[in-house]
Amino acid sequence: MVMKKKLLGLDEMELIAREATRRALSEYPQPSKEDQANWTLGKFETESEGVFEIYIPSDRPLDATVISRALVDRATGEVSVEVFLKK
């Protein structure tokens, strides 16, 4: 009998990504409340990972400003976060 490991779902991965992103952003100066009010969360999953981006939308998607990107491994829950703010 072959046992398949259950992969994490989007909601489970979002909790992991939120905490890791919060820790990563704490190392940067806090943006103004007005800037933060424009932040949007984009999320999707692939076969192997969940992708969570905080961004400021624009009229054209290519012109959106990405604030951070968290990648969560669906099998292990391991997370990595990139922050695109200036220190």
Side-chain angles (χ1 to χ4, degrees):
M1 181 165 97
V2 175
M3 297 287 287
K4 264 191 155 179
K5 186 173 181 181
K6 183 180 179 299
L7 298 176
L8 295 171
L10 199 57
D11 291 340
E12 297 166 297
M13 290 186 293
E14 184 174 350
L15 294 174
I16 295 167
R18 278 186 188 273
E19 182 57 34
T21 301
R22 187 175 293 117
R23 283 193 312 268
L25 287 173
S26 73
E27 298 175 17
Y28 292 80
Q30 185 170 359
S32 70
K33 296 291 181 198
E34 294 81 30
D35 285 346
Q36 289 183 44
N38 293 317
W39 289 8
T40 300
L41 175 64
K43 55 187 176 179
F44 64 93
E45 62 187 2
T46 67
E47 281 188 34
S48 61
E49 65 188 3
V51 180
F52 301 86
E53 287 186 339
I54 295 174
Y55 65 96
I56 299 171
S58 181
D59 290 337
R60 293 181 16 181
L62 289 175
D63 295 334
T65 303
V66 179
I67 305 300
S68 69
R69 179 180 300 121
L71 304 174
V72 180
D73 186 293
R74 292 189 69 196
T76 66
E78 187 175 322
V79 62
S80 64
V81 180
E82 280 184 277
V83 177
F84 303 102
L85 297 173
K86 292 184 167 88
K87 278 200 174 186

